[in-house]
Amino acid sequence: CYPYNFYWSLTHEAVMLNEPQGYHQAQHEVCHAHQHWVINGGAPLDPQDYDLESWYATAEGQSFTASIGVGGDWPWQLSAVNGLEDFAWTCAYWYEDPAGLLGRSPERYEWARRNLP
């Protein structure tokens, strides 16, 4: 198993480390499940797409990357590696701590306000 939290699209499971963690980390993994749903309603993915890369081609993925960009100014200490992770943290903070998201990244807050329920 991986030494970090992850969403496993093959079984639709968020796998969490066996250690105390905040709600942000759990919500982050749930937001990856949301990405899977946006790709194809949660149906099985092509085995080469288990990491959800096809999310970038969805309307949501294109909107997020066009509004936020990818790379450059990462407000996240953890998982600041790509747009998939950036979205998952943006989404997690939108649901768990919107004021914290606004303080970290007003442009991400504004995107979430316009695009997430």
Side-chain angles (χ1 to χ4, degrees):
C1 195
Y2 298 116
Y4 48 82
N5 303 327
F6 60 94
Y7 169 70
W8 191 241
S9 63
L10 300 176
T11 58
H12 301 134
E13 295 175 291
V15 179
M16 305 297 291
L17 294 174
N18 188 21
E19 58 187 51
Q21 298 182 61
Y23 292 116
H24 291 87
Q25 287 86 1
Q27 185 64 44
H28 171 94
E29 300 309 331
V30 170
C31 288
H32 283 309
H34 164 84
Q35 289 172 308
H36 185 175
W37 182 85
V38 167
I39 292 168
N40 65 4
L45 296 168
D46 183 273
Q48 286 77 31
D49 193 30
Y50 75 92
D51 60 357
L52 308 174
E53 286 290 322
S54 62
W55 175 79
Y56 288 113
T58 68
E60 181 181 82
Q62 291 175 355
S63 170
F64 184 78
T65 55
S67 296
I68 306 307
V70 213
D73 181 28
W74 299 101
W76 320 115
Q77 298 267 336
L78 301 171
S79 301
V81 294
N82 60 39
L84 289 163
E85 296 298 328
D86 191 0
F87 170 84
W89 282 117
T90 298
C91 174
Y93 273 87
W94 172 250
Y95 290 113
E96 294 296 329
D97 183 9
L101 177 60
L102 179 60
R104 282 177 181 254
S105 177
E107 67 274 11
R108 285 169 177 81
Y109 174 90
E110 188 57 30
W111 183 91
R113 188 187 66 74
R114 287 190 321 265
N115 294 279
L116 295 176

